């Protein structure tokens, strides 16, 4: 069995600065980490491999420094790591990202399962999994909190707002996983050393993928951001209620009554 | 679809999610919002409902703002399945060429929308909190928070149709329904065979709901770390009951297991827009305010006069929750 796990490098902090003068994101200082949710996908793939045999490949599209995230997947125990990196990929939205990942998977040719995180911590769209599944014409099983494999089929427990469902499909398929699926392993120091010293991250450029250049990066992205700004949460002036606790309580309850917010107690 | 002639595409569609023929609240919110947007464009609103035995709710969609309702009522569509629903929606979209498709950002909506957008080769903006219009260009301007919600982005889809957006439940508010509205009901045939569908639903389990529906609550009493512990939340519950409010929380008490995740408000929790929000021992971090800033009246109880929440509260009480909340309970009882 061959499992491909799609992983993304994300900024370490959620408090990315915004330079209002130049109108750009200030990514400096924010280191890149492996998207936490993708570690659950990796863990699931490694556990399936341990149980059923096979190989695991980690695949990512990103800038050159995303290699670090792929090294981390190698230290966790994946067999192979592939980075799609090219200026042409820059500025990709989810559809354009899925398009590049699809071409890479077509090139990899033989796989039984594709695993993704449910969502990335920066974009948090949860779209790349389903869009990739569509472009590859694979059935998709989303929001998995359990995954199991039987001869030629895969079964998941799907988490929904109001409960869960058990879904089943045949290979090949794409699964997106929830954080509660598992506890990702922490690689031992020597695996980390080995991943950085001895292992290779294969880098593919746009021309290696073939495909229509018009589909890559910003050019291939149907959505564009028109404006990015920081949201001001200021509503005007606050009225401070003062006095002893019971005086404050009385004043607040009176105010709520006057505003019609206490049903049955409305005085106006 | 990346059409040469964008002008061919007309009309705003809303996908109506349903469970046991009960429409999801967010779908109704989107009908109301869709109505407002479509009026500015001079366009029709079409609701599309898929399921088994769903015809009965079609009329209601008109009351909520639709001009037309497309109904795919078929046993094969009984359970939501990505392939089935995508096939049905895409077939109708290719035929009728709407310019906009709105879907609620629920689990199902977020499973379905990207699949449809992938098949139609168009853009989909995920999990938006505001929708606006560039009327001249006939563009939806979808606002989406990202990077931990310190930043907002306005996203457009200028050259592909339909423009797709998923919208967070709770952010649009529900319009009152108008039983006088008239519209057109259109039943369509579903031409799909069970043996062609790759995914099987083996079981569906609904968790017994304890009635927590924060998104729909009219009043919310939210607790933060300043509440001090699980007992503190018992006290808030007492206050909430007297006010006929629901209890909510920031993420930290959830992390501390004082209260369950179902109650979390904010970026990684729920979005609420009650008429009254009372924050008790809540600092007002942006990740929390992202989920409650649309509350009509905000009251903050915090011991620290410099807490961020006082920047956007309407009424502030600088004091200890352990004194103020019991005083409020006493006052309401008397
Ligand atoms: C990616 C990401 C996602 C997040 N998502 C969410 C989310 O969805 N929802 C969310 O809420 N947070 C979220 N957070 C966390 C958020 O940043 C804040 O840490 C959190 O909201 C703070 O919770 P708090 O106000 O309860 O606690 P604190 O910030 O610790 O504030 C406690 C407040 O209580 C006051 N206080 C203390 N004792 C008393 C007392 N006896 N009486 C009165 N006041 C008292 C203090 O003055 C203080 O202002 C997220 C963070 C990240 C990085
Ligand atoms: N650039 C990328 N390279 C590889 N996988 C990605 C990339 N972006 C997103 N993914 C995968 O898609 C999932 C959902 O991401 P998102 O749509 O950004 O929320 C992630 O958890 C990853 O598994």
């Amino acid at each position: 069995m061959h499992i491909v796990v799609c992983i993304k490098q994300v900024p370490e902090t959620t408090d990315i600065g915004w330079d209002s003068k130049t109108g750009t994101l200030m990514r400096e200082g924010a280191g890149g980490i492996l998207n936490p949710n993708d570690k659950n996908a990796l863990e699931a793939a490694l556990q399936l491999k341990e149980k059923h045999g096979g190989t695991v490949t980690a695949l990512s599209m990103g800038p050159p420094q995303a290699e670090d995230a792929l090294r981390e997947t190698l230290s966790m125990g994946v067999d192979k790591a592939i980075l799609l990196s090219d200026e042409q990929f820059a500025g990709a939205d989810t559809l354009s990202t899925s398009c590049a990942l699809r071409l890479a998977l077509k090139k990899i040719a033989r796989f039984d399962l594709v695993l993704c995180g449910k969502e990335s911590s920066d974009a948090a769209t949860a779209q790349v999994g389903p869009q990739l599944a569509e472009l590859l014409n694979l059935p998709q099983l989303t929001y998995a909190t359990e995954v199991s494999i039987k001869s030629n089929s895969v079964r998941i427990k799907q988490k929904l707002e109001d409960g869960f469902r058990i879904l089943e499909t045949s290979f090949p398929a794409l699964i997106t996983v929830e954080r509660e699926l598992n506890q990702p392993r922490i690689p031992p120091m020597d695996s980390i050393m080995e991943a950085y010293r001895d292992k290779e991250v294969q880098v593919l450029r746009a021309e290696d993928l073939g495909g229509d250049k018009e589909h890559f990066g910003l050019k291939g992205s149907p959505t564009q951001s028109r404006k990015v700004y920081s949201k001001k949460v200021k509503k005007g002036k606050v009225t401070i209620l003062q006095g002893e606790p019971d005086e404050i309580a009385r004043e607040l309850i009176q105010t709520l009554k006057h505003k019609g917010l206490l049903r049955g107690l409305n005085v106006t | 679809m990346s059409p040469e002639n964008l002008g061919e595409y007309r009309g705003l569609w809303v996908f109506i999610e349903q469970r046991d023929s009960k429409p999801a609240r967010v779908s109704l919110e989107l009908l109301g919002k869709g109505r407002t947007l479509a009026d500015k464009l001079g366009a029709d609103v079409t609701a599309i409902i898929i399921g088994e035995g769903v015809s009965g709710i079609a009329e209601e969609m008109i009351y909520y703002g639709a001009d037309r309702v497309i109904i795919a009522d078929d046993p094969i569509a009984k359970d939501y399945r990505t392939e089935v629903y995508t096939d049905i929606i895409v077939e109708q979209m290719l035929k009728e060429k709407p310019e906009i498709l709105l879907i609620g950002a629920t689990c199902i909506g977020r499973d379905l929308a990207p699949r449809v957008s992938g098949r139609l080769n168009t853009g989909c903006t995920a999990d938006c909190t505001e929708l606006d219009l560039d009327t001249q260009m006939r563009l939806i301007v979808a606002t989406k928070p990202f990077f931990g919600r310190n930043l907002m982005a306005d996203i457009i889809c200028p050259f592909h149709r339909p423009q797709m957006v998923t919208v967070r439940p709770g952010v649009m508010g529900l319009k009152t329904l108008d039983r006088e509205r008239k519209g057109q009901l259109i039943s369509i045939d579903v031409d799909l065979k069970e043996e062609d569908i790759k995914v099987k639903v083996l079981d569906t389990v609904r968790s017994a709901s304890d009635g927590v529906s924060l998104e729909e609550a009219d009043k919310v009493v939210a607790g933060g770390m300043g509440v001090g512990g699980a007992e503190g939340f018992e006290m808030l519950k007492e206050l909430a009951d007297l006010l006929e409010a629901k209890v909510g929380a920031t993420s930290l008490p959830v992390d501390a297991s004082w209260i369950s995740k179902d109650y979390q408000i904010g970026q990684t929790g729920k979005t609420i827009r009650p008429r009254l929000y009372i924050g008790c021992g809540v600092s007002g971090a942006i990740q929390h305010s992202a989920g409650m800033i649309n509350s009509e009246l905000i009251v903050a109880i915090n011991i620290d006069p410099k807490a961020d929440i006082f920047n956007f509260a309407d009424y502030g009480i600088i004091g200890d929750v352990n004194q103020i909340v019991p005083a409020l309970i006493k006052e309401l009882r008397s």
Side-chain angles (χ1 to χ4, degrees):
Chain A
M1 190 170 57
H2 183 199
I3 306 176
V4 180
V5 185
C6 296
I7 66 112
K8 183 181 185 183
Q9 189 184 48
V10 295
E12 187 172 2
T13 156
T14 52
D15 298 318
I16 298 277
W18 169 251
D19 187 333
S20 56
K21 282 202 202 79
T22 61
T24 52
L25 289 178
M26 296 189 292
R27 283 176 186 264
E28 285 95 322
I33 55 165
L34 176 53
N35 179 34
N37 192 191
D38 296 349
K39 288 189 187 173
N40 304 100
L42 287 161
E43 179 62 36
L46 293 169
Q47 285 182 17
L48 288 173
K49 173 187 158 170
E50 280 154 13
K51 206 160 160 201
H52 304 278
T55 53
V56 177
T57 300
L59 172 65
S60 186
M61 185 190 89
Q65 60 267 30
E67 189 189 313
D68 285 340
L70 284 164
R71 296 240 173 244
E72 196 174 339
T73 71
L74 286 166
S75 71
M76 282 175 77
V78 310
D79 301 289
K80 195 173 172 194
I82 304 174
L83 174 63
L84 314 180
S85 198
D86 198 306
E87 282 88 66
Q88 286 192 44
F89 298 144
D93 71 358
T94 59
L95 192 64
S96 169
T97 301
S98 306
C99 183
L101 293 174
R102 169 189 169 264
L103 288 171
L105 277 154
K106 286 276 172 208
K107 219 173 137 65
I108 292 170
R110 269 226 6 87
F111 56 87
D112 304 283
L113 271 184
V114 181
L115 294 188
C116 289
K118 171 190 165 186
E119 63 187 12
S120 57
S121 65
D122 57 347
T125 75
Q127 294 202 141
V128 169
Q131 283 176 334
L132 179 58
E134 170 59 29
L135 298 183
L136 288 165
N137 195 21
L138 295 178
Q140 76 193 43
L141 305 177
T142 50
Y143 322 134
T145 58
E146 280 172 31
V147 178
S148 62
I149 282 177
K150 262 197 335 201
S151 61
N152 195 32
S153 66
V154 55
R155 195 179 274 201
I156 71 149
K157 182 169 172 182
Q158 178 182 53
K159 183 183 160 200
L160 298 173
E161 293 95 347
D162 59 345
F164 64 86
R165 307 197 298 175
I166 307 293
L167 304 180
E168 189 179 74
T169 195
S170 51
F171 294 120
L174 183 143
I175 301 175
T176 77
V177 310
E178 291 277 357
R179 294 292 289 269
E180 50 264 63
L181 172 63
N182 53 37
Q183 192 63 48
R185 65 195 62 193
I186 295 163
M189 205 52 197
D190 51 337
S191 302
I192 298 175
M193 300 291 282
E194 201 190 347
Y196 276 86
R197 216 180 33 216
D198 309 327
K199 297 223 168 137
E200 192 202 346
V201 172
Q202 187 188 355
V203 179
L204 297 179
R205 301 183 53 82
E207 67 221 33
D208 301 321
L209 293 184
D212 189 345
K213 303 254 158 15
E214 296 297 307
H215 289 155
F216 294 144
L218 198 57
K219 256 199 276 173
S221 299
T223 60
Q224 301 175 358
S225 79
R226 179 180 261 195
K227 197 167 89 181
V228 180
Y229 48 100
S230 71
K231 178 100 173 171
K232 44 183 184 311
V233 278
K234 229 182 174 95
K235 258 185 71 169
K237 219 166 152 36
V238 56
T239 306
I240 299 289
L241 305 179
Q242 281 167 346
E244 289 302 309
D246 11 332
E247 291 165 14
I248 292 175
R250 201 165 313 131
E251 194 181 342
L252 180 62
I253 300 300
Q254 281 303 325
T255 307
L256 298 183
K257 270 187 199 168
H258 278 292
K259 291 188 181 290
L261 283 162
L262 298 182
R263 207 174 46 170
L265 302 168
N266 202 340
V267 292
T268 46
Chain B
M1 292 185 268
S2 39
E4 298 297 295
N5 188 0
L6 296 177
E8 276 175 31
Y9 293 76
R10 280 291 183 267
L12 181 149
W13 286 30
V14 178
F15 168 70
I16 308 297
E17 181 178 337
Q18 52 80 29
R19 299 267 209 293
D20 303 327
S21 298
K22 190 177 178 302
R25 187 183 148 104
V26 64
S27 305
L28 304 178
E29 292 169 358
L30 290 180
L31 278 178
K33 181 68 184 183
R35 180 76 265 159
T36 312
L37 296 173
D39 284 343
K40 288 191 191 149
L41 291 172
D44 274 355
V45 174
T46 301
I48 179 161
I49 310 178
I50 303 170
E52 185 187 26
V54 291
S55 305
I57 57 171
E59 201 86 37
E60 197 183 336
M61 301 308 116
I62 293 172
Y63 302 155
Y64 276 105
D67 300 299
R68 307 158 72 235
V69 187
I70 295 178
I71 309 139
D73 196 334
D74 194 283
I76 204 166
K78 177 174 177 289
D79 294 310
Y80 168 75
R81 280 183 293 176
T82 318
E83 300 166 85
V84 174
Y85 280 50
T86 303
D87 284 352
I88 296 172
I89 292 174
V90 166
E91 192 191 329
Q92 295 306 312
M93 296 248 133
L94 289 173
K95 208 162 78 191
E96 302 209 17
K97 298 193 166 58
E99 59 199 308
I100 297 162
L101 171 60
L102 306 180
I103 297 182
T106 57
C107 293
I108 283 177
R110 296 179 79 187
D111 177 278
L112 175 67
R115 190 90 195 193
V116 170
S117 87
R119 189 154 320 162
L120 294 173
N121 185 37
T122 190
C124 182
T125 307
D127 215 17
C128 298
T129 52
E130 280 166 55
L131 289 184
D132 212 333
L133 212 54
D134 179 331
T135 321
Q136 205 177 359
M137 307 277 288
R138 295 184 85 85
L139 287 181
I140 287 276
V141 182
T143 304
K144 173 181 166 49
F146 70 122
F147 289 129
R149 302 234 166 181
N150 291 335
L151 292 175
M152 312 293 280
D154 285 351
I155 314 272
I156 51 173
C157 176
F159 307 118
H160 295 68
R161 294 292 179 274
Q163 309 167 65
M164 292 184 58
V165 181
T166 66
V167 180
R168 280 202 131 194
V171 298
M172 293 303 171
L174 197 58
K175 297 241 165 65
T176 44
L177 81 182
D178 171 5
R179 294 188 184 279
E180 302 298 307
R181 277 186 56 82
K182 297 273 178 290
Q184 192 188 359
L185 304 184
I186 305 153
S187 285
I188 56 165
D189 291 329
V190 177
D191 189 20
L192 297 171
K193 289 192 210 64
E194 185 57 46
E195 55 271 28
D196 296 335
I197 311 301
K198 291 188 201 132
V199 174
K200 307 285 172 227
V201 180
L202 303 182
D203 199 6
T204 302
V205 177
R206 304 269 165 82
S207 48
S209 159
D210 61 348
V212 192
S213 176
L214 263 182
E215 283 109 328
E216 294 171 34
D218 190 43
K219 296 168 211 166
V220 172
V221 176
M225 287 312 274
V227 162
E231 324 75 59
F233 274 93
E234 294 296 322
M235 181 173 75
L236 292 196
K237 177 80 175 70
E238 207 179 324
L239 175 62
D241 285 346
L242 288 165
L243 289 166
E244 298 182 315
K246 300 271 186 206
V247 171
T250 64
S251 67
L252 301 184
V254 172
D255 294 344
S257 303
W258 297 350
I259 188 163
S260 97
K261 169 100 184 163
D262 296 338
Y263 296 86
Q264 186 184 320
I265 297 162
Q267 177 201 341
T268 38
K270 294 182 169 150
T271 303
I272 59 169
R273 47 182 311 136
R275 286 197 297 145
L276 172 65
Y277 166 100
I278 304 183
C280 307
V282 170
S283 63
I286 187 125
Q287 291 89 355
H288 181 69
S289 63
M292 50 64 68
I293 196 68
N294 289 326
S295 307
E296 257 172 61
L297 190 83
I298 298 172
V299 179
I301 305 168
N302 196 307
I303 210 158
D304 175 9
K306 291 208 271 300
D308 279 335
I309 194 163
F310 292 124
N311 288 329
F312 53 87
D314 298 289
Y315 290 94
I317 297 169
I318 298 161
D320 189 332
V321 287
N322 296 306
Q323 293 180 342
I324 305 295
V325 173
L328 285 168
I329 291 172
K330 199 171 121 218
E331 180 66 26
L332 283 163
R333 283 245 161 83
S334 68

